[in-house]
């Protein structure tokens, strides 16, 4: 399933090939997020033209609308959304966090400069507070974000839904946590995730007999920002029969690469590793250096729809006045459709005029930027010049 073709000297990073039933993924690779079986404002053909190799869809959202049975009847996600390349589906576990303790609060997966006060953290974890998701040992009770109806996800239910969706790579049901949570809570959540992982493996084995499609199941490592918990989780998840691994949960932003290294020093080298919900260029290059093979994040297209674009010299806001009269492309020498055909002034005009094409052109550019960037990282590993490439990129990208 996974073949390592090159390694970074004195590091955990590697370049490889991840084989799926819908084609190979050249790694390291960025996974384009199409939450509801669509990447907002783009057709599958446009997604492919950005260099995207693989798309990730969201189990929870597709379960609510249109429903996994409709997608199964259509022949699975590949047919339903007309994407014939590899597809991943997450487990719905992140919604246990975003609709639970994070709902209506400032909690995120990272501790950063704008962390909430301790009082807000305590209130978020107050079991009596009304939330749209509640966690029990058996699973997670959700309230639909569409109509408020109640639903219950168990590890088994998550696997059943993902089997119906028909993705190539599926993930075990886990409890995503906030780094603001106490160590005691993080440990309980990690241990619950471990028990759920075993239940997912059992359910997956049962359904393999009924489902002839080749699907591989990844287990998820948790443990928050604590080294001992991360290592404990990596040892446990790495010791059971998963085809690959996801690294999930919460980090201190500045120490993300260190936390990833703790985990990847322990996980089996011969199996692929996916870093969940991380996609900023600096994080991609540091995550790749420390042994991650694939990455997914909604930020590339979400920022694009708000006018924030990646360049080799850092991010720009296309709505800034200086771009209004700029008749050069967003990025000189960029080979994306947007930069090959339009000027910064035109893209800026589209955003100022609130034209739908603005989101399309900006999303094309951002996805192309990240996919091209990942191919450059891969080639630098194969050529044995990763450190040189990394230093040159970071110097330019962080210069502003």
């Amino acid at each position: 399933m996974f073949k390592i073709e090159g390694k970074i000297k004195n590091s955990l990073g590697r370049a490889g090939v991840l084989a799926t039933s819908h084609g190979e993924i050249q790694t390291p690779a960025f996974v384009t997020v199409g939450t509801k079986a669509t990447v907002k404002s783009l057709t599958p053909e446009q997604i492919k033209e950005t260099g995207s190799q693989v798309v990730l869809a969201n189990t929870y959202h597709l379960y609510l609308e249109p429903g996994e049975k409709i997608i199964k009847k259509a022949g699975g996600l590949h047919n339903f959304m007309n994407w014939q390349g590899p597809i991943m589906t997450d487990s719905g576990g992140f919604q246990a966090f975003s609709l639970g303790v994070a709902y209506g609060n400032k909690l995120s997966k990272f501790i950063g400069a704008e962390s909430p006060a301790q009082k807000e953290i305590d209130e978020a974890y107050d079991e009596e507070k009304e939330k749209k998701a509640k966690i029990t040992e058996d699973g997670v009770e959700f309230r639909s974000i569409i109509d408020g109806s109640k639903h219950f996800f168990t590890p088994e239910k998550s696997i059943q839904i993902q089997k119906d969706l028909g993705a190539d790579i599926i993930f075990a049901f886990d409890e995503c946590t906030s780094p603001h949570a106490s160590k005691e809570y993080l440990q309980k959540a990690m241990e619950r995730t471990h028990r759920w992982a075993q239940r997912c493996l059992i359910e997956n084995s049962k359904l393999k007999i009924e489902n002839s499609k080749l699907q591989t199941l990844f287990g998820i490592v948790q443990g928050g920002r604590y080294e001992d918990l991360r290592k404990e989780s990596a040892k446990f998840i790495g010791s059971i029969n998963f085809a690959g691994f996801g690294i999930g949960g919460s980090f201190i932003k500045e120490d993300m690469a260190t936390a990833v290294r703790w985990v990847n020093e322990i996980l089996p080298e011969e199996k692929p590793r996916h870093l969940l919900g991380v996609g900023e260029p600096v994080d991609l290059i540091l995550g790749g250096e420390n042994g991650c093979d694939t990455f997914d994040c909604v930020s590339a297209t979400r920022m694009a729809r708000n006018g924030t674009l990646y360049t080799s010299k850092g991010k720009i806001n296309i709505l800034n006045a200086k771009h209004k009269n700029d008749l050069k492309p967003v990025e000189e020498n960029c080979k994306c459709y947007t930069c090959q055909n339009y000027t910064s002034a035109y893209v800026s005009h589209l955003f100022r005029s609130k034209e739908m094409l603005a989101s399309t052109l900006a999303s094309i550019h951002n996805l192309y930027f990240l996919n091209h960037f990942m191919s450059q990282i891969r080639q630098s590993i194969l050529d044995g010049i990763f450190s040189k490439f990394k230093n040159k990129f970071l110097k330019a990208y962080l210069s502003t």
Side-chain angles (χ1 to χ4, degrees), residues 8-79:
I8 302 172
K9 189 176 181 181
N10 300 320
S11 178
L12 295 171
R14 66 269 188 97
V17 178
L18 176 54
T20 79
S21 58
H22 285 84
E24 294 182 339
I25 304 167
Q26 308 290 313
T27 67
F30 178 73
V31 178
T32 299
V33 177
T35 301
K36 299 180 181 180
T38 179
V39 178
K40 287 181 174 62
S41 81
L42 300 182
T43 67
E45 292 78 14
Q46 289 170 321
I47 298 165
K48 188 174 182 180
E49 287 173 4
T50 67
S52 297
Q53 302 180 72
V54 51
V55 170
L56 179 142
N58 183 281
T59 297
Y60 167 78
H61 288 286
L62 292 176
Y63 159 76
L64 289 180
E65 193 175 46
E68 75 279 10
K69 298 304 180 186
I70 291 175
I71 294 174
K72 182 180 181 182
K73 190 176 180 180
L77 274 174
H78 295 88
N79 288 346

Side-chain angles (χ1 to χ4, degrees), residues 265-306:
E265 284 176 338
I266 294 170
L267 291 175
E269 184 184 35
E270 71 279 6
K271 293 184 178 183
R273 306 151 178 166
H274 179 82
L275 186 54
L276 289 149
V278 172
E280 283 294 304
V282 173
D283 296 332
L284 292 173
I285 201 166
L286 295 179
E289 182 179 28
N290 287 285
C292 293
D293 305 300
T294 52
F295 308 78
D296 79 272
C297 192
V298 298
S299 64
T301 47
R302 180 179 289 167
M303 289 192 312
R305 295 192 300 275
N306 291 312

Side-chain angles (χ1 to χ4, degrees), residues 332-350:
E332 296 280 6
N333 302 316
C334 176
K335 302 298 183 184
C336 81
Y337 171 81
T338 301
C339 289
Q340 291 291 297
N341 292 281
Y342 303 98
T343 63
S344 293
Y346 181 68
V347 178
S348 182
H349 156 67
L350 293 175

Side-chain angles (χ1 to χ4, degrees), residues 61-350:
H61 288 286
L62 292 176
Y63 159 76
L64 289 180
E65 193 175 46
E68 75 279 10
K69 298 304 180 186
I70 291 175
I71 294 174
K72 182 180 181 182
K73 190 176 180 180
L77 274 174
H78 295 88
N79 288 346
F80 191 63
M81 66 181 290
N82 190 32
W83 173 261
Q84 298 310 314
I87 296 178
M88 295 179 173
T89 45
D90 62 9
S91 67
F94 179 70
Q95 279 63 45
F97 166 68
S98 63
L99 299 176
V101 297
Y103 189 78
N105 300 297
K106 298 177 183 177
L107 273 63
S108 76
K109 291 174 62 176
F110 297 102
I111 290 180
E114 299 181 358
S115 295
Q118 187 60 48
K119 182 180 179 182
E120 293 176 281
I121 297 169
D122 292 342
E123 287 177 354
Y125 279 90
D126 182 354
E127 292 185 2
E128 300 303 316
K129 184 178 178 180
E130 179 65 24
K131 303 179 179 75
K132 288 190 179 294
K134 293 185 179 180
I135 299 166
T136 69
E137 177 60 29
D138 196 42
V140 180
E141 181 186 276
F142 294 100
R143 281 196 176 275
S144 168
I145 58 171
I146 298 171
D147 60 10
S149 58
K150 283 187 179 182
H151 303 266
F152 197 80
F153 268 26
T154 62
E156 294 80 8
K157 178 75 171 177
S158 174
I159 296 297
Q160 290 162 10
I161 295 168
Q162 291 184 81
K163 287 290 184 182
D164 285 344
L165 295 175
D168 303 282
I169 296 171
I170 66 177
F171 284 88
F173 194 56
D174 67 316
E175 181 185 349
C176 181
T177 53
S178 166
H180 304 287
S182 67
K183 186 175 184 180
E184 180 184 15
Y185 186 88
L186 287 168
Q187 181 163 358
K188 287 180 179 178
M190 178 195 72
E191 290 169 349
R192 180 159 44 230
T193 290
H194 293 174
R195 292 190 291 273
W196 286 357
Q198 291 174 306
R199 289 167 59 183
C200 286
L201 274 172
I202 293 169
E203 186 65 17
N204 187 59
S205 295
K206 288 180 184 176
L207 295 179
K208 268 185 180 179
I209 301 169
E210 303 170 18
N211 191 334
S212 60
K213 288 183 180 178
L214 177 61
Q215 291 177 296
T216 53
L217 175 62
F218 282 24
I220 297 181
V221 175
Q222 291 288 358
R225 65 190 188 274
Y226 295 99
E227 181 176 4
D228 58 335
L229 296 184
R230 281 283 176 187
K231 289 183 172 180
E232 180 183 346
S233 188
K235 287 175 184 174
F236 181 86
I237 296 296
S239 71
I240 51 183
N241 192 31
F242 286 110
F245 307 99
I247 301 171
S250 48
F251 306 96
I252 298 174
K253 181 70 171 174
E254 293 73 17
D255 294 334
M256 182 277 296
T258 301
V260 166
R261 187 172 68 250
W262 294 336
V263 170
N264 286 337
E265 284 176 338
I266 294 170
L267 291 175
E269 184 184 35
E270 71 279 6
K271 293 184 178 183
R273 306 151 178 166
H274 179 82
L275 186 54
L276 289 149
V278 172
E280 283 294 304
V282 173
D283 296 332
L284 292 173
I285 201 166
L286 295 179
E289 182 179 28
N290 287 285
C292 293
D293 305 300
T294 52
F295 308 78
D296 79 272
C297 192
V298 298
S299 64
T301 47
R302 180 179 289 167
M303 289 192 312
R305 295 192 300 275
N306 291 312
T308 299
L309 303 176
Y310 292 121
T311 78
S312 58
K313 295 182 179 179
K315 289 182 282 192
I316 64 167
N317 184 344
I318 201 69
L319 286 161
N320 286 349
K322 65 181 180 180
H323 301 297
K324 193 173 182 179
N325 300 306
D326 184 358
L327 297 179
K328 299 188 298 297
V330 171
E331 170 113 277
E332 296 280 6
N333 302 316
C334 176
K335 302 298 183 184
C336 81
Y337 171 81
T338 301
C339 289
Q340 291 291 297
N341 292 281
Y342 303 98
T343 63
S344 293
Y346 181 68
V347 178
S348 182
H349 156 67
L350 293 175

